[in-house]
Amino acid sequence: METQTPLLHDFSGDHQLIGLDGDYRPVKSLKQWWAIFWIETVKLWEIGGPIAFNILCQFGIYSITVAFCGHLGAVELSAVSVAQNVIGTFSFGFMLGMGSALETLCGQAFGAGQIHMLGVYTQRSMIILLFSTFILLPIYIFATPVLKLLGQEHDIAVLAGKFAMLTIPELYSLAITIPTSKFLQAQSKVCVLASIGFVALLLHAVLLWLFIYVFRWGTNGAALAFNVTGWANAMAQFVYVVVWCKDGWTGWSSSAFNEIWAFVRLSVSSAVMLCLEMWYMMSIIILTGHLKDAVTSVGSLSICMNVDGWEAMLFIGINAAISVRVSNELGLGRPRATKYSVIITVFQSLLIGIVCMILVLAVRNHLAILFTNSKDLQRAVADLAWLLGITMLLNSVQPVISGVAIGGGWQGLVAYINLGSYYAFGIPLGYILGYVANFGVVGLWGGMIAGLALQTLLLSFVLYRIDWNKEVELSAERLRKWGGLVFEAEKTLTSEPTKGLP
């Protein structure tokens, strides 16, 4: 039986660079590096461009919700920001992490030509994510007392808790949205994701205007728009997968329940890794709520986090792209192509981070205009711009390395590094600088940046020490283990005719 390989790998490039096995030959000159740089740049952005655009559209849904509600008042701005950044980020981070195991398995299965396994893996992920929503449900139901316990001001906690309760339906849509996204990403069918994301963003903007300004439903209308958009996006992706992806989706299968606990273990490792990253910046919002003049402090910091989020969403797109590249190449048994792809992606991401930092510092006095009319908030945001710039620079490398971890399946190691760098070092340092040394928001954020810098340094060292030949062997073993009997039968069929050949 003929196996299918990703169309992306048919890129011809320079035949002097590529050996008979499809992997790159060792690089011996600057000219060869330059040629590989452009080959990998095209491959990266063929996947990363549409994914980044789709992720930016998804984040735009969160961002314009905050912007619309921010013009209702300072309390509404802070409350919706807290609901989105604390409750929403907590839940989305956990759900995205539980679904990220799909990137590892679907990407490597697609690279190995086992296309039919993608649908089975996706269904398995949907089952796991559906159960995950019930685990997260109490956080939404008891959002107000939880936020009060965490020290949020009464008015902010009450309104944020009400908003979170009203957005419970959107939580359940993630059980469909995340697995179908990973299914399509693994096959580089990313243009459809970009198209659906853009339509969803336009729909959300229209619904916000209609519900908030025409019907005057305030933050209740914003929550309703959030739910409608979330489910419209989920159903559009699901219909596309079922109707137009017959090679990967062959119908509902009982095989989705096979090896489900092994899948859960990898999902939990992914969830812990990503949650420790996403919850880290969320924690600064919580700690800031204990400072004096909490409304201004939380509001200004939320605006900065929102701006940082736009860059973060771009790098989540690059994260997904490098994850696809790494998992596909490992599945195809190409260690050198994997290594070169990682090096070039990290280099390009660092350049983007430098540009973003310079841009933020250049327009620091105008950053908050889209979010608030308050001059006090605008000045507070301008004062924090230099910290925002440093954060954006550091955040340019870290997501790429996380994407490599997901593609290679070594999420557990990254989770330990995140735990130590963020929660054993960054948060305690931020607390000391913010409260003991009385530096306030600047101290809190400075400590967080120190933790982020330590994490980036450690991950870079790990990446430098990776043996990509060994990773190829681990990838093959993972497919044999989690592909189950279907994979073994397929392997026997494909290898049988070659017995006895040189």
Side-chain angles (χ1 to χ4, degrees), residues 426-447:
I427 289 180
L429 179 61
Y431 182 85
I432 292 172
L433 293 175
Y435 287 94
V436 180
N438 291 320
F439 288 125
V441 176
V442 174
L444 286 172
W445 202 347

Side-chain angles (χ1 to χ4, degrees), residues 140 164 166 176 182 195 245 286 300 397 410 462 469 482:
Y140 283 75
L166 292 173
I176 297 175
K182 305 304 180 186
S195 301
C245 299
I286 296 173
S300 60
V397 175
W410 34 284
V462 170
N469 291 296
W482 285 320

